[in-house]
Amino acid sequence: MMHDEVNKILAVLTAEISHILTDNLIGLYLTGSLSYDDFHPDKSDIDLVAITKTFPSAQHLEALKLMHREIEKENKKWSQRIECS
């Protein structure tokens, strides 16, 4: 199933998280309903897991929070529905 809107958000998240965490990022993985084909655009959320070499610094965490807020501001439909651990 195609989810163009979600794919655009995932592309932005991937680029921004990679930019913020740089070489501390090992990988970014899609989880939840998108990963097992049970996604419903009107009720599902977007779930990601970021694996890092070390715990992100306070500066990195703040940058990630700001990035997350900006993405939700630009994609109001997904406000409170984008989760990255």
Side-chain angles (χ1 to χ4, degrees), residues 10 29-34 44-49 81-85:
L10 287 170
Y29 301 93
L30 186 64
T31 62
S33 59
L34 272 167
S44 295
D45 55 6
I46 299 171
D47 299 298
L48 295 170
V49 173
R81 294 175 55 202
I82 300 172
E83 299 178 9
C84 188
S85 346

Side-chain angles (χ1 to χ4, degrees), residues 26-71:
I26 294 173
L28 195 58
Y29 301 93
L30 186 64
T31 62
S33 59
L34 272 167
S35 67
Y36 52 81
D37 201 28
D38 190 32
F39 183 78
H40 301 280
D42 295 329
K43 64 178 182 175
S44 295
D45 55 6
I46 299 171
D47 299 298
L48 295 170
V49 173
I51 306 299
T52 58
K53 293 177 186 174
T54 62
F55 193 81
S57 68
Q59 183 179 8
H60 285 139
L61 291 174
E62 187 59 32
L64 290 166
K65 286 179 191 177
L66 290 172
M67 177 260 330
H68 190 90
R69 278 188 278 226
E70 285 300 313
I71 290 173

